[in-house]
Amino acid sequence: MIQKQCVTVLLLLSIVLTVTAQTFALPWGVALTSKRLQETNFTTALSTYRVRSLTPENEMKMGVLQPQKGTFDFSGADAIIEYAKAHDMGVRGHTLVWHKNIPSWVTDETWTKAQLTDILDNHIETVVGHMGNDVYAWDVVNEALDDTTAHARRPSIWQETIGDEYIVHAFTKAHQVNPTIPLYYNDYGIIGKNGKSDAVYTMVKSLLNQGVPITGIGFQSHLSLNSHPTAESMQQNMQRFVDLGLEVSVTELDVAIGTSPATAEQLAQQEQIYRDVISACMSTGACAGITTWGLTDKYTWLTDYLGHTEAPLPLTTTYEPKPAYQAIKDMLLVTYPADTPASHPTTDPRPHSRVCTY
Ligand code: XIL
């Protein structure tokens, strides 16, 4: 019922607020590396297409932030924060604890449980303390479950040395340092209802029952034309997490095509998947935002990762909007007069409260 009201309100707003509102009602975010902020084509596109939130693609990961024990390098992260502040955008913090991008000074040594817990504590205290409220949410733990049928805890130095409790510890520590910031569990392959999302649901429900301060679930959503859940599966799955009292975000959306160049039909299929993902999140009434893992096909991690040219993002390599962008525009925008220059946002880019604001 509440969802239907939200949709109705959105439609009414679209019709009525044609003059005053010129920005997305729900933030569209993109992942980027700070050096893109030196490229005029890129920053022009951020403004033209009303990007409201930035996620450092790598520059808030431990290997970048703490390359030597106790020595922190915030330069890339701070550059993104400064840009975001100057352009009325929010920044998503990604990520405090992951099995990848761990500096070699951590992985090259053998630590006792107490020593590694100290390292984790110190990292979280320093990083969450430094960023303060310049980020509007943290991916505290990323990809903690594996892809076996059991979806057990993924082996990592954290899991093997500290044990299952590293997750409780990380959330608790982040919450101590900043008690107001939303704290997320983030993972891939969990946007549809499947064995892995069942395992995340069970784990998170148990953590919530223990009082662990988890605020939200990040659904990475690295999808492809050949592999994506149905709209219904995504909607039902996200809703069950919201029913636990959590907020939800799409944190790393991209939709791989598989071959290149993409045909018009493939681009239309891609657009439909974008629509299904966005509407699944919005239909819960507790969707905090949609982030795509990049802005333009010119810079997508998938070309390296998959080893072929990919086109998974909303803008072409020359910054033209693709059909997928139309999905973002239609579903996230209150209204968007095509020829109006970007203006200051009229809505808060930090949607902490779980009310239906779109
Ligand atoms: C990726 C970056 O995009 C790449 O540049 C880097 O080489 C590897 O990591 N899931 C995540 C992201 O949570 O941090 C990953 O980002 C993509 C998959």
Side-chain angles (χ1 to χ4, degrees):
M1 188 56 179
I2 288 170
Q3 294 157 21
K4 285 211 178 94
Q5 282 169 353
C6 289
V7 171
T8 311
V9 168
L10 178 65
L11 288 174
L12 285 174
L13 281 172
S14 307
I15 296 161
V16 174
L17 299 180
T18 49
V19 181
T20 50
Q22 297 167 359
T23 187
F24 290 136
L26 189 66
W28 173 33
V30 305
L32 81 172
T33 173
S34 61
K35 70 178 181 202
R36 300 289 162 247
L37 300 172
Q38 312 300 323
E39 295 176 32
T40 311
N41 285 350
F42 195 98
T43 54
T44 302
L46 288 177
S47 157
T48 303
Y49 298 106
R50 271 62 166 189
V51 174
R52 298 282 310 285
S53 166
L54 303 176
T55 302
E57 190 168 340
N58 293 300
E59 286 159 299
M60 286 191 188
K61 293 172 181 171
M62 188 180 189
V64 179
L65 286 183
Q66 195 181 172
Q68 265 90 48
K69 191 172 194 317
T71 303
F72 287 81
D73 177 1
F74 291 111
S75 55
D78 285 351
I80 291 173
I81 286 173
E82 285 318 307
Y83 183 90
K85 277 186 184 168
H87 295 83
D88 292 316
M89 296 174 174
V91 176
R92 277 200 97 248
H94 174 83
T95 176
L96 295 172
V97 191
W98 194 27
H99 66 282
K100 291 186 179 164
N101 209 315
I102 302 174
S104 53
W105 65 265
V106 175
T107 50
D108 286 353
E109 268 197 54
T110 306
W111 307 94
T112 65
K113 178 175 174 173
Q115 285 171 328
L116 195 65
T117 304
D118 269 357
I119 288 170
L120 184 64
D121 277 353
N122 182 260
H123 186 73
I124 292 174
E125 266 169 27
T126 308
V127 172
V128 175
H130 177 90
M131 306 298 173
N133 291 322
D134 289 342
V135 294
Y136 66 86
W138 269 111
D139 288 334
V140 177
V141 174
N142 194 32
E143 303 181 349
L145 300 188
D146 70 19
D147 294 312
T148 62
T149 41
H151 298 294
R153 290 295 188 89
R154 180 190 297 280
S156 69
I157 193 167
W158 312 113
Q159 179 68 34
E160 280 152 22
T161 311
I162 302 177
D164 277 1
E165 71 201 64
Y166 87 89
I167 294 186
V168 176
H169 197 85
F171 277 97
T172 307
K173 177 55 70 179
H175 183 70
Q176 268 171 17
V177 182
N178 188 340
T180 59
I181 197 158
L183 302 177
Y184 273 66
Y185 176 77
N186 192 56
D187 214 330
Y188 64 87
I190 62 163
I191 192 171
K193 191 164 179 325
N194 57 34
K196 191 170 181 184
S197 63
D198 286 350
V200 171
Y201 180 81
T202 304
M203 175 180 78
V204 168
K205 192 171 175 185
S206 151
L207 292 172
L208 287 170
N209 284 339
Q210 295 165 52
V212 178
I214 300 185
T215 321
I217 304 296
F219 299 84
Q220 291 188 8
S221 315
H222 294 291
L223 306 176
S224 70
L225 297 192
N226 291 333
S227 173
H228 59 90
T230 64
E232 191 186 31
S233 170
M234 292 191 281
Q235 196 279 325
Q236 288 175 358
N237 182 50
M238 292 182 124
Q239 187 62 52
R240 67 175 165 162
F241 286 96
V242 170
D243 292 344
L244 290 177
L246 296 163
E247 63 179 46
V248 288
S249 290
V250 173
T251 51
E252 305 185 17
L253 178 61
D254 51 19
V255 180
I257 302 271
T259 52
S260 70
T263 64
E265 193 190 346
Q266 287 174 320
L267 293 175
Q269 287 168 11
Q270 185 180 53
E271 175 186 0
Q272 187 58 49
I273 297 169
Y274 267 76
R275 279 184 196 282
D276 290 347
V277 168
I278 297 166
S279 58
C281 193
M282 291 179 82
S283 74
T284 65
C287 181
I290 305 283
T291 289
T292 51
W293 206 241
L295 172 69
T296 155
D297 289 338
K298 183 173 178 159
Y299 302 120
T300 163
W301 76 298
L302 286 180
T303 294
D304 276 349
Y305 187 72
L306 298 176
H308 63 254
T309 303
E310 257 305 339
L313 292 166
L315 304 185
T316 67
T317 55
T318 51
Y319 298 91
E320 297 299 319
K322 291 163 64 182
Y325 176 71
Q326 191 64 39
I328 291 174
K329 182 175 151 184
D330 288 353
M331 304 195 103
L332 300 185
L333 202 58
V334 173
T335 184
Y336 183 1
D339 53 355
T340 310
S343 64
H344 292 294
T346 53
T347 53
D348 183 355
R350 286 143 297 187
H352 292 166
S353 64
R354 291 201 296 278
V355 292
C356 175
T357 53
Y358 45 85

